[in-house]
Amino acid sequence: MSSFRYLVVGGGMTGDAACRGIRDHDPEGTIGVFAAEEHPPYARPPLSKALWAGKDESMIWRGTAELGADVRTGRRIVALDLDARTATDDAGEGHSYERLLLATGSVPRHLPGAGDNVIHFRTLDDFRRLHALASEGARAVVVGGGFIGSEIAAALASNGCAVTMVFPEDGIGARLFPPALSAFVNGYYREKGVEVVAGALVQSISGTVGGFGIETDGGSSFEADAVVAGLGVVPATELAEAAGLPVDDGVLVDEYGRAGGREDVFAAGDVARFPVPALGGTRRVEHEDHANTHGRVVGANMAGAATPYDHLPFFYSDLFDLGYEAVGDVDARLATVEEWPEPNRKGVVGYVDGEGRARGFLLWDVWGKVDAARKLIRSGATLDSSSVSALLD
Ligand code: NAD
């Protein structure tokens, strides 16, 4: 049995960030990182952005081992004994620890009935498979109109593929963007040559790579060389549940990242549901900034820092030449206060609750204003058009 002071379950961005947080406070304690993928921790955003714009794959590696962490790739932790402070991996090897971090992330939702030849896009291996299929003129069907669907459709079209997007909402990004903006994005993608099939569910997929047949519930059919899906993710909570930790759409943690009221068990990143006093209640966030920031704070707390996490994480996306940053609750179901100096091209959308308080901001081609937006959210003040306009200065 190997023995670690810190055992990190999960080799994603959160796991890497946690190692950095640990090292901020403990330069020497042994760290074991167990990564189910065959790769050490890497940055995920380039898989749907920079690597399609000519950047070299070497840019993604995080260099976790350079922190003195023992990174075991291709090893999945399959059981925990919290009382004995031991973990067992899928090779049957046991490991003891003093502090445990669950950074197991999330797993992509699968399209019902889809086989392995459909790429449910999330990992470096998924990127490599899709990139190899994305030759000039290749036909691709992209299922899903959220983050992965919109970024991958743009990436494939920009690389000369003939792209069809199929998703159930009325518009691209419809869960985030106000309806008029989402409708504009549909038109923008069509101008870029993407066939946008909104309001449709995929009913069946036949064939395989190089000769797929896809049918929708509306009776449309498409042929494709590759099918890629981004249908959302579910938090990977099985280990935590089996170990008896409280789980409710994520492992429930306190402001320090501690789970189950224990001093020696933590969770961070996609898999953790954490308190957000600025917005009320708890949230689970599946974006890069949160993975990095929560991972680092919770890692530091594993090493005794006692720092509460009160960060409001931001996220960003590029949709061809359109781009934005966003923070807080960016939810199309909320009422909005909007200012658009250039309609659909440059503007700010403030999302408000029933009392008119700012809960989130979409900063559309507006840069460097995330901190100011955070201040408006934290202030709890009623949001008016002058404070939204101030974000455009
Ligand atoms: P998502 O939730 O953004 O979008 C899911 C999409 O799939 C929606 O359009 C939804 O309606 C559709 N869908 C769900 N079930 C479907 C079905 N049966 N048939 C057809 N469509 C269906 O999730 P995603 O795009 O898969 O992204 C996965 C994760 O990656 C998310 O956690 C996201 O936050 C993260 N991510 C973030 C960024 C970013 O921050 N820029 C970029 C890429 C991925």
Side-chain angles (χ1 to χ4, degrees), residues 163-203:
V163 180
T164 303
M165 277 181 91
V166 182
F167 52 83
E169 295 89 5
D170 289 340
I172 294 167
R175 292 175 177 193
L176 307 177
F177 308 150
L181 180 60
S182 181
F184 167 80
V185 176
N186 282 357
Y188 188 82
Y189 270 57
R190 287 181 178 127
E191 274 171 32
K192 297 282 182 186
V194 175
E195 183 173 6
V196 176
V197 183
L201 281 172
V202 169
Q203 194 144 60

Side-chain angles (χ1 to χ4, degrees), residues 87-319:
T88 308
D89 70 26
D90 54 359
E93 202 182 327
H95 311 277
S96 68
Y97 63 82
E98 292 172 42
R99 299 270 189 283
L100 176 76
L101 175 68
L102 294 168
T104 45
S106 44
V107 287
R109 224 176 254 128
H110 276 227
L111 198 56
D116 287 346
N117 48 16
V118 170
I119 300 173
H120 294 89
F121 195 91
R122 181 148 183 93
T123 65
L124 175 58
D125 292 343
D126 297 333
F127 165 77
R128 287 176 175 170
R129 278 174 73 198
L130 186 61
H131 199 248
L133 294 172
S135 51
E136 180 84 27
R139 302 158 304 168
V141 165
V142 176
V143 189
F147 288 101
I148 290 289
S150 57
E151 291 184 5
I152 288 294
L156 291 169
S158 302
N159 280 266
C161 298
V163 180
T164 303
M165 277 181 91
V166 182
F167 52 83
E169 295 89 5
D170 289 340
I172 294 167
R175 292 175 177 193
L176 307 177
F177 308 150
L181 180 60
S182 181
F184 167 80
V185 176
N186 282 357
Y188 188 82
Y189 270 57
R190 287 181 178 127
E191 274 171 32
K192 297 282 182 186
V194 175
E195 183 173 6
V196 176
V197 183
L201 281 172
V202 169
Q203 194 144 60
S204 72
I205 300 181
S206 58
T208 190
V209 172
F212 283 106
I214 297 98
E215 294 200 357
T216 70
D217 58 350
S220 303
S221 56
F222 308 95
E223 292 176 352
D225 300 304
V227 180
V228 53
L231 309 179
V233 293
V234 286
T237 54
E238 307 81 2
L239 260 187
E241 275 173 75
L245 292 168
V247 168
D248 180 7
D249 180 34
V251 181
L252 300 178
V253 299
D254 66 12
E255 65 269 42
Y256 301 101
R258 296 177 301 201
R262 305 181 67 108
E263 296 292 331
D264 57 351
V265 179
F266 298 76
D270 282 25
V271 78
R273 176 165 285 281
F274 60 100
V276 185
L279 294 170
T282 62
R283 298 289 184 284
R284 206 172 55 70
V285 174
E286 300 164 355
H287 296 287
E288 177 191 19
D289 177 35
H290 176 66
N292 288 332
T293 314
H294 198 219
R296 192 145 191 161
V297 167
V298 175
N301 289 339
M302 291 169 76
T307 305
Y309 181 72
D310 68 351
H311 182 63
L312 279 174
F314 85 106
F315 59 96
Y316 63 97
S317 188
D318 299 321
L319 313 168

